[in-house]
Every structure is written in C-alpha cells, then in structure tokens.
C-alpha cells in the first residue's frame, strides 16, 4: 500500500511558530543553495517565524555554518545554528563529567570538548570514553588506540556524535560519515556504540528549546533523511516535512517504517509556501 502525503493544513505558515531545517541536502548542496531555499527562508522570516538550522555534521562549528549560509545569500546568526557537537558535549558533561575522552574526529569536536573543560587523552590505558565522529583524518593509529582502550584494557565506553552513513555531495556523490568510523571500531572490538547524538536524539532538541524557547508542539522539522530528520521529529513531538532534494526518494519512502514517515512530502523546499505536497 502506497503512503499518501497528508494534505497541508489550510495555512501552515500561520499555524506553526518555528521551523527547524536540516542543511546538507535540504537548504544547500555543496556550495549552492537548493532551488527555493532562499525564497522559503525569506518568506518565513518575513512572517515573523522562528527559523533554526540543525546539522548532524560535526566537522564544522555553528559559526562556520552561519558564515556559509550568509555567504550563500541567507544572512544567519550563529544563535540560529545547532549541531551534533552540542548534544555530544552536553551528554558528556552531564553523564561522565570526569571522563577522560578520546575523540576520533576533526578539530571542531576537539575544540568543543576543550571549551567545555573535558579532559582528553590518547593513552589507551587512561581512556574512559571513545567518541567516534565524522573524521576525514581517520587513520590506523586512531583505530589502534580505540581498539586498545575498548578491547585490550576493557575500560572505555563507545559513543558517536551522529548516526549518518554519508554526507551528500553534488552530483549524487557522498563522503563516508561517522557511522563508517563507528562500524570499523565495533567490527574490531565487538563493543557496541551505546549512545548516538545529533538527530534523531531528543537531547539535541532539548538544547535548542532551552536556548530559543522553541515549543516542539508548534514546530516543523524539515529535512531530506528518514532515519535522522523524520525520526527526530517523531521522537520530539514536532511535525515533519520531507524534501526530495537529498538522500530520500519516493521509492525509499514507500518502504519506510511508520516511525520514519513524514507528515508532508515536498518536491522542493519552497512548496511549503505554496501548500503543494506531492503524492508518495
């Protein structure tokens, strides 16, 4: 049985107060805004709606994303951008504040941990927590350190910044993301990852709500991925709109489990302004 996109409310622009947007594959792809993105964001802001950008990509800081959006024609303040790094650091600070952490990631992750006062080490005998992340500098040395901490000394725990398999690139290409690093570590150590941050974790929305006042009951999550963006909405009580400009196509949607199904499906992102969901 095919899933049929639910019709839009009579005026979704007036019904909802806040809109949370994924970035890669939703607002832009590579170094270009996707069709309709500028029209939609400007339209929402002109109506006084709260706009928040939320990325699972931990290789950039919020100020990097704000600068990129501004450069692409969407003036954005750093306070409007949230990433998986915020959820990761928040969890460590609350759950394991005294932990010695080994981050397998790029400088934004290391800097975020340092700014939070979290101790880091690459000594396997002292590591309490291995944080696996999207890391384009991943090498055998890092895998060995994680292996020793988790398998040989059997003292460390394993978590990851985000669950994404790949980061989408223009032309249908992609780059291996954090899930690939985590899988390599688990394959060797047989230690399962016990916590995953970023979307679809509720922790990330708790941070956004605390800092912005966003109410999930009056908010819409807009993104291109079923298992992160749409499940994030389901986990947090937001409504959801899937845009078909990134990872997901209609064939994927038709076989998706119920918890991954969006409330609305958009051919392009500014269809939200025109009340034009597509059949799925």
């Amino acid at each position: 049985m095919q899933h049929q996109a639910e019709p839009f409310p009579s005026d979704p622009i007036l019904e909802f107060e806040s809109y949370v947007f994924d970035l890669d594959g939703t607002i832009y792809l590579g170094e270009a805004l996707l069709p309709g993105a500028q029209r939609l964001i400007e339209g929402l802001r002109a109506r006084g709606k709260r706009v928040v950008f939320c990325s699972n990509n931990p290789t950039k800081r919020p100020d990097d994303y704000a600068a990129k959006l501004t450069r692409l024609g969407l003036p954005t303040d750093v306070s409007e951008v949230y990433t998986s790094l915020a959820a990761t650091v928040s969890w460590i600070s609350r759950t394991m504040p005294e932990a010695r952490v080994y981050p397998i990631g790029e400088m934004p992750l290391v800097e975020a941990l340092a700014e939070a006062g979290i101790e880091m080490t690459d000594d396997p005998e002292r590591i309490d927590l291995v944080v696996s992340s999207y890391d384009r500098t991943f090498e055998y040395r890092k895998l060995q350190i994680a292996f020793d901490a988790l398998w040989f000394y059997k003292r460390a725990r394993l978590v990851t910044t985000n669950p994404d398999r790949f980061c989408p690139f223009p032309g249908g290409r992609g780059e291996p993301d954090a899930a690939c690093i985590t899988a390599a570590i688990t394959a060797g150590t047989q230690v399962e990852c016990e916590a995953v941050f970023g979307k679809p974790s509720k922790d990330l929305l708790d941070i956004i709500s605390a800092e912005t006042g966003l109410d999930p009951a009056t908010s819409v999550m807009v993104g291109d991925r079923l298992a992160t963006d749409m499940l994030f909405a389901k986990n947090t009580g937001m409504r959801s709109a899937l845009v078909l400009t990134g990872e997901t196509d209609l064939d994927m949607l038709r076989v998706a489990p119920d918890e991954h199904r969006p409330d609305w499906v958009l051919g392009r992102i500014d269809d939200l302004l025109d009340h034009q969901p597509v059949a799925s």
Side-chain angles (χ1 to χ4, degrees):
M1 179 177 176
Q2 292 186 359
H3 173 67
Q4 185 74 21
E6 184 178 317
F8 272 102
S10 58
D11 194 342
I13 300 300
L14 296 179
E15 178 169 341
F16 299 101
E17 296 177 358
S18 304
Y19 293 80
V20 182
F21 292 94
D22 175 55
L23 289 172
D24 292 296
T26 300
I27 295 295
Y28 57 68
L29 197 57
E31 288 298 316
L33 291 177
L34 283 161
Q38 185 166 14
R39 174 176 176 251
L40 173 62
I41 300 303
E42 289 178 350
L44 291 175
R45 286 173 170 168
R47 290 165 172 82
K49 303 302 179 181
R50 178 187 286 113
V51 171
V52 175
F53 300 103
C54 183
S55 176
N56 268 6
N57 189 331
T59 65
K60 295 182 178 65
R61 299 170 60 92
D63 53 343
D64 296 323
Y65 282 112
K68 177 173 182 175
L69 289 165
T70 300
R71 185 176 72 250
L72 294 180
L74 292 177
T76 299
D77 188 81
V78 67
S79 65
E80 298 174 296
V81 182
Y82 293 84
T83 74
S84 60
L85 295 184
T88 303
V89 172
S90 175
W91 184 88
I92 296 171
S93 297
R94 294 190 329 267
T95 309
M96 300 179 67
E98 303 302 320
R100 291 178 289 257
V101 175
Y102 179 54
I104 299 179
E106 300 186 14
M107 281 308 299
L109 173 60
V110 174
E111 291 167 354
L113 292 169
E115 289 171 7
I118 295 169
E119 182 180 353
M120 287 171 278
T121 180
D122 61 0
D123 179 354
E125 195 170 1
R126 299 179 65 243
I127 295 168
D128 300 306
L129 184 69
V130 175
V131 179
S132 170
S133 189
Y134 182 3
D135 185 1
R136 291 165 295 187
T137 66
F138 188 56
E139 59 183 357
Y140 197 83
R141 172 184 168 274
K142 294 183 178 183
L143 183 60
Q144 182 72 63
I145 292 170
F147 181 84
D148 288 343
L150 292 159
W151 181 81
F152 183 73
Y153 291 108
K154 301 187 189 311
R155 57 169 290 125
R157 299 161 67 180
L158 175 64
V159 299
T160 184
T161 55
N162 59 297
D164 302 80
R165 295 181 298 110
F166 69 94
C167 181
F169 279 12
R173 295 183 61 82
E175 197 166 66
D177 207 323
C180 301
I181 309 296
T182 306
I185 296 168
T186 295
T189 64
Q190 296 298 292
V191 173
E192 296 294 332
C193 181
E194 62 180 81
V196 180
F197 310 112
K199 299 169 291 184
S201 169
K202 185 177 181 296
D203 279 358
L204 185 53
L205 190 74
D206 289 343
I207 293 168
I208 296 171
S209 295
E211 294 191 7
T212 67
L214 177 148
D215 179 357
T218 58
S219 303
V220 179
M221 175 69 215
V222 185
D224 68 303
R225 296 190 173 200
L226 297 173
T228 54
D229 301 322
M230 300 304 102
L231 185 57
F232 184 52
K234 186 77 71 175
N235 287 346
T236 57
M238 292 188 288
R239 300 293 291 276
S240 58
L242 176 73
V243 62
L244 300 174
T245 52
E247 175 180 314
T248 306
D249 58 26
L250 289 177
D251 288 337
M252 295 170 63
L253 179 58
R254 290 183 182 113
V255 298
D258 288 344
E259 64 268 23
H260 292 178
R261 292 191 181 278
D263 294 301
W264 304 295
V265 182
L266 310 173
R268 53 183 266 168
I269 199 166
D270 60 340
D271 288 346
L272 181 63
L273 291 176
D274 302 321
H275 309 183
Q276 293 180 358
V278 299
S280 58

